[in-house]
Amino acid sequence: MKSMMENDQSNMKGGVLVSSNSHEHHHHQGADNKKKKKMKLVILIVNCILLSVAQISGPLLLRIYYLHGGQRKWLSSWLQTVAFPFLLIPISVSWFRSKSKSHDFRSISAIDVNPTTDRKLRFGGFSPKLFISCIFLGIIVGLDSFLYAYGVSYLPVSTSSLLMSTQLAFTAAFALLLVRQKFTPYSINSVVLLTLGAVVLAFHTNGDKPIGVSKAQYFLGFFLTLGAAALFGFMLPFIELVYRKASEAITYDLVMRMQFITSMVATVFCTIAMLINKDFQAISREAKGFELGETKYYIVLICTAVSMQCAVVGTLGVIHCATSLFSGVLMTLLLPIQQICAIFFFNEKFSAEKGMSLGLSIWGFASYFYGEYKQTKKKTHQHKAVSTKSQEIPDEV
């Protein structure tokens, strides 16, 4: 009888111990999830800032290059990806962090990298499918860079930024086809408003052909820029599809490694074209004839390269932390700000059409974020309801 009572007490203590350990495990898991969400939000904000600054400064710097004597299209394309070695800095920091924490299971799970994936990433390895996707994407980026650089050489900033804003429509179409992106009434309203803002700006594009540009060159730049917008609209959902199909855990560290390979391939693509076109030999001659001076010529080239790389990194980071549609909406919101900067730096007039476009863009941006807020709130309530129900179900004895 006494031994039976001792066994019962032992079982009760064991049960209490298991329950306590289970509760402690769930507590640590919840804390880790909160840390992940906060870190993801911080990364999203940083990438939004990078994308915004680069999206505004990049076209202005390229236009300055062309306005003051620059003529090399493949050089402009090359500048958009050549700064990819700077990615080695965050990649190295992330590698040392993962290495120092690789012996701690909780630390590994907190950064969302499993041991197998971590070993692969330490050697810079990817799955064959992911590596091929990066090469394909790099070629597309190189081609898109050339189309954009060629179009900007013949168009004013207001027109080129207007045409690039149409990438939102292409993004929405390809997102529906490739990743089955679900639309809400708020996101549809946002897309419509932002597109209307671009259409309103179209009323201001008549008679804005730059001096020295023929009508044929103007229309060539027009359609090449439109083609660049279509390619860019394809790239965003394609990147999101790659993330979903990848066998590796898609961490921000992996995104940076993917971007490194993609930009390297794009740079090699443009470098080969520059060698064929003998652009490297022309750089020194072009610098001496640059209207702002030889030193400022190289400053413009360096700033353009850094700005363009920040734009691509910011875009990939936003897609990783949010969606391709969100990145498209953000870039379309920046369209009126580009107009204002063009007015300030190039003395363009601020018309009523540009004011209307700014208002529509802000309205569309607010609509999108309100829809995201409502969806997040709905998901939170659903998770709480499921959690409450699971707690009400008694444990099996």
Side-chain angles (χ1 to χ4, degrees), residues 150-151 154 215-225:
Y150 211 114
Y154 293 136
K215 194 171 182 180
Q217 289 175 329
Y218 180 85
F219 281 110
L220 177 62
F222 187 96
F223 287 111
L224 287 178
T225 305

Side-chain angles (χ1 to χ4, degrees), residues 88-376:
L88 291 173
I89 298 174
I91 289 173
S92 299
V93 172
S94 178
W95 185 84
F96 281 112
R97 277 189 64 190
S98 63
K99 184 179 180 181
S100 64
K101 296 181 179 181
S102 60
H103 299 290
D104 188 349
F105 175 78
R106 289 181 180 177
S107 297
I108 294 174
S109 62
I111 60 174
D112 196 27
V113 178
N114 59 54
T116 304
T117 304
D118 186 54
R119 284 196 296 270
K120 286 176 68 179
L121 292 180
R122 287 181 185 181
F123 292 99
F126 299 95
S127 66
K129 185 186 295 185
L130 187 59
F131 188 74
I132 293 172
S133 297
C134 289
I135 294 176
F136 173 74
L137 188 61
I139 296 172
I140 295 296
V141 169
L143 182 59
D144 183 69
S145 299
F146 175 72
L147 293 177
Y148 177 69
Y150 211 114
V152 170
S153 66
Y154 293 136
L155 299 176
V157 174
S158 59
T159 305
S160 62
S161 59
L162 163 65
L163 292 173
M164 285 305 296
S165 72
T166 60
Q167 59 86 21
L168 180 61
F170 292 110
T171 299
F174 285 118
L176 181 64
L177 293 173
L178 296 178
V179 295
R180 299 294 187 268
Q181 178 75 55
K182 293 182 180 180
F183 289 96
T184 66
Y186 297 100
S187 62
I188 293 173
N189 184 52
S190 175
V191 171
V192 170
L193 289 170
L194 291 168
T195 305
L196 282 176
V199 171
V200 168
L201 277 178
F203 290 105
H204 189 64
T205 58
N206 294 328
D208 66 342
K209 185 166 62 69
I211 299 173
V213 175
S214 66
K215 194 171 182 180
Q217 289 175 329
Y218 180 85
F219 281 110
L220 177 62
F222 187 96
F223 287 111
L224 287 178
T225 305
L226 194 62
L231 266 183
F232 195 80
F234 166 78
M235 282 192 293
L236 300 182
F238 178 77
I239 293 169
E240 189 173 347
L241 179 65
V242 170
Y243 288 169
R244 293 185 181 184
K245 298 292 185 180
S247 57
E248 294 90 339
I250 301 298
T251 62
Y252 191 67
D253 172 72
L254 183 59
V255 170
M256 290 297 99
R257 292 171 184 270
M258 289 174 59
Q259 175 56 30
F260 184 87
I261 292 182
T262 299
S263 295
M264 182 174 64
V265 172
T267 303
V268 170
F269 179 82
C270 294
T271 300
I272 293 172
M274 287 182 68
L275 290 171
I276 295 173
N277 203 40
K278 298 182 179 180
D279 281 353
F280 287 107
Q281 296 90 321
I283 290 177
S284 58
R285 296 195 305 269
E286 196 172 67
K288 291 177 182 177
F290 197 62
E291 294 176 2
L292 299 178
E294 188 173 354
T295 303
K296 290 184 178 179
Y297 173 84
Y298 290 109
I299 291 175
V300 169
L301 294 189
I302 293 171
C303 291
T304 301
V306 174
S307 176
M308 291 298 183
Q309 190 61 37
C310 288
V312 179
V313 171
T315 301
L316 289 177
V318 170
I319 295 174
H320 171 66
C321 298
T323 64
S324 58
L325 183 59
F326 174 79
S327 65
V329 171
L330 177 59
M331 283 184 279
T332 305
L333 171 73
L334 297 171
L335 172 65
I337 302 176
Q338 287 177 335
Q339 303 292 321
I340 294 172
C341 291
I343 291 166
F344 181 77
F345 289 105
F346 303 126
N347 297 320
E348 296 183 7
K349 294 180 181 179
F350 188 80
S351 63
E353 291 87 356
K354 291 181 180 179
M356 290 177 64
S357 175
L358 179 62
L360 287 169
S361 297
I362 294 175
W363 185 8
F365 193 62
S367 174
Y368 181 83
F369 263 103
Y370 183 70
E372 287 293 303
Y373 168 75
K374 290 199 71 173
Q375 276 196 322
T376 304

